[in-house]
Amino acid sequence: SRTLVAEVETDGDGDFPWVTFEVPESYTGPHKVRAQINTTFYADYDFTVKPGLTVSPKEGPVGINVTVKGLGFAKNEKNIEIRYYLDGNYTTVASNISANATGSWQKSFQIPTSDQGSHKIDAQGNTTTLAAVMDAFFEVKPGITLDRTSGSLGQSITMTGSGFAAGERDITIL
């Protein structure tokens, strides 16, 4: 199938300036980028789509719900799993995901307990390997929760914190 990504006009010499466009959702592998006037006159250029991930939001506290989108995987690929990395090890946060006919998929999960800082997110499937996928990253920011949202003077409130640096000391509660 073909997707229109831009329309341009040539100058007096028959040239057109640089055109920037986003690669549309496409399955992994070779594709053609084509400039054409009609079905008779056209020019092609080979382009290879590689798999990659996006994550939204890109930062937040432990426990936040994030959505990972996979693009450029194989057509209708099965058994895709998402890995979240902690200190060189990983935990599988989602599995049994299937890509659509354009090699795209989407899955949401909660960020597991992890230290403050950047954490790699990777994915693989039946066809697509971990090494082939352009990784995404999530930045864990400190966060707190309270066991209640209101109370009276003198009541005890339990607070928990997450996403701080490992072994961090002298944290003040205000």
Side-chain angles (χ1 to χ4, degrees):
S1 75
R2 295 179 183 171
T3 303
L4 177 66
V5 294
E7 289 184 356
V8 297
E9 196 172 296
T10 60
D11 61 18
D13 295 326
D15 300 329
F16 58 84
W18 292 99
V19 176
T20 303
F21 62 91
E22 285 190 22
V23 176
E25 286 191 24
S26 309
Y27 56 85
T28 195
H31 295 269
K32 299 248 185 243
V33 176
R34 174 175 283 182
Q36 72 180 42
I37 298 168
N38 55 43
T39 56
T40 308
F41 300 104
Y42 60 87
D44 285 338
Y45 200 90
D46 293 331
F47 183 83
T48 301
V49 172
K50 296 180 179 180
L53 304 173
T54 63
V55 61
S56 179
K58 294 177 185 273
E59 62 180 35
V62 167
I64 192 171
N65 202 44
V66 299
T67 300
V68 172
K69 187 171 185 180
L71 300 163
F73 280 66
K75 286 182 185 181
N76 303 309
E77 186 168 354
K78 305 279 188 232
N79 297 319
I80 298 168
E81 70 175 27
I82 304 172
R83 294 180 175 187
Y84 180 83
Y85 284 79
L86 305 154
D87 299 324
N89 295 316
Y90 69 88
T91 184
T92 301
V93 291
S95 57
N96 296 321
I97 304 164
S98 296
N100 62 21
T102 60
S104 300
W105 53 267
Q106 182 173 302
K107 186 70 174 178
S108 296
F109 65 91
Q110 286 187 325
I111 294 296
T113 300
S114 43
D115 293 345
Q116 181 178 356
S118 183
H119 294 271
K120 180 172 85 166
I121 298 174
D122 205 351
Q124 68 178 357
N126 281 349
T127 305
T128 306
T129 65
L130 290 170
V133 177
M134 187 174 87
D135 305 327
F137 291 88
F138 182 82
E139 183 80 20
V140 172
K141 300 285 188 175
I144 60 169
T145 59
L146 302 176
D147 68 342
R148 61 184 75 194
T149 59
S150 65
S152 300
L153 294 173
Q155 277 187 314
S156 292
I157 299 171
T158 302
M159 174 191 289
T160 57
S162 62
F164 291 83
E168 192 161 356
R169 302 176 128 192
D170 300 324
I171 297 172
T172 33
I173 310 299
L174 307 172

